[in-house]
Amino acid sequence: MKIQNYIILSLVAAFFSACGTPKNYNYLQDLTNGQVMTTSVDGTIRLQPKDQISILVKSKDPLMSNLFNKGVTTTMKSGQTEGNMYVTGYTLGPDGDIDFPVLGKIQLKGLSRYEAEQTIQKRLQEEQLKDANVTVEFMNLSYTVTGEVKEPGVYPIQKDAITLFEALGKAGDISVYGKRDSVMVVRDIDGTKKAYVLSLTSAKDILSSEAYYVRQNDLIYIKANNTKARQSLAAGNETRSMSFWLSLASVFTTIAVLFIK
């Protein structure tokens, strides 16, 4: 076989190799079967100033419960309570506290939802309501996902801990045009912004990052890959289309067959 035949076949092989799955496409590529991975990062959502929460106090004494249940209304059906229909939230002030009926200022900054429940419940039991049971829920906590995802938007936080993979799953996952090896998370920490850049292709990288767990007000941004960047140009749309590459492959194949014969 002539040297030019080897060259042409090499070009064809290289072309089809380039059409394969990019090495930075799949998630967690460094994991193996049965491998155990841990993360030292605490993923629990902790309350910050300006966060809004609902607080529901339950007691055997309905009069005392109503005293503490701010803005709670219920409907009755067949003589039984159907459920809470409206709850007014408490917003943490600049110092991270709330102004609770009778008890006054209660510091909640830095507490988890469960810890906030226990703090308020203890204060109630010490002051007025010995059998108090307190439930705290998040109200306005959210994160934003934008860039190359299928469903960009603002998503509510409804769990005590959310991973970055869960957050992206809510947004329909990263599209084929998104970079998986340079996901950016911008976080507000005590009034300043901190940026994290993570590779979802590496379990070691993602699990060791503080941004593995999502916080309230996080901005998750997925950059566009080179294919999408080229498509954003008019010339790119014309010369880098699928039909172009298929035509080029056909030409290479035809030339190779002719030289081999």
Side-chain angles (χ1 to χ4, degrees), residues 63-200:
L63 294 178
M64 292 298 293
S65 295
N66 292 337
L67 176 63
F68 298 103
N69 289 332
K70 178 182 177 182
V72 176
T73 60
T74 59
T75 59
M76 302 296 291
K77 184 176 182 180
S78 301
Q80 296 183 359
T81 302
E82 188 179 58
N84 298 318
M85 303 301 294
Y86 177 76
V87 180
T88 300
Y90 294 84
T91 301
L92 274 66
D95 295 327
D97 54 21
I98 61 170
D99 190 2
F100 200 68
V102 180
L103 302 181
K105 300 288 185 180
I106 302 178
Q107 178 63 233
L108 299 180
K109 178 182 178 181
L111 301 184
S112 67
R113 189 176 60 85
Y114 173 76
E115 291 168 346
E117 290 176 346
Q118 297 301 304
T119 297
I120 298 169
Q121 183 169 299
K122 182 179 180 181
R123 288 283 301 276
L124 285 171
Q125 292 174 346
E126 290 174 349
E127 299 289 340
Q128 301 284 341
L129 210 53
K130 300 300 182 181
D131 66 339
N133 184 274
V134 177
T135 301
V136 173
E137 298 290 349
F138 302 136
M139 291 192 71
N140 73 334
L141 276 62
S142 63
Y143 59 89
T144 301
V145 185
T146 187
E148 288 301 327
V149 291
K150 295 178 182 177
E151 299 178 14
V154 179
Y155 292 87
I157 292 177
Q158 300 171 321
K159 296 171 55 179
D160 292 320
I162 301 175
T163 69
L164 186 56
F165 287 111
E166 289 178 293
L168 291 172
K170 286 282 187 180
D173 203 2
I174 301 175
S175 74
V176 295
Y177 298 114
K179 285 188 174 182
R180 289 156 170 75
D181 58 347
S182 57
V183 173
M184 180 173 292
V185 177
V186 180
R187 177 166 297 169
D188 191 340
I189 302 177
D190 295 328
T192 61
K193 301 292 185 182
K194 183 175 182 179
Y196 304 84
V197 179
L198 308 95
S199 174
L200 300 187

Side-chain angles (χ1 to χ4, degrees), residues 14-74:
F15 170 78
F16 283 106
S17 176
C19 293
T21 302
K23 65 178 182 179
N24 291 330
Y25 184 81
N26 294 320
Y27 296 143
L28 308 176
Q29 296 180 24
D30 52 345
L31 282 183
T32 57
N33 183 41
Q35 183 177 352
V36 177
M37 299 289 292
T38 60
T39 175
S40 59
V41 179
D42 179 11
T44 306
I45 298 292
R46 297 191 174 275
L47 296 173
Q48 301 175 4
K50 299 182 180 181
D51 285 350
Q52 191 176 39
I53 57 174
S54 67
I55 302 173
L56 184 64
V57 178
K58 296 180 181 179
S59 169
K60 294 179 180 178
D61 186 346
L63 294 178
M64 292 298 293
S65 295
N66 292 337
L67 176 63
F68 298 103
N69 289 332
K70 178 182 177 182
V72 176
T73 60
T74 59

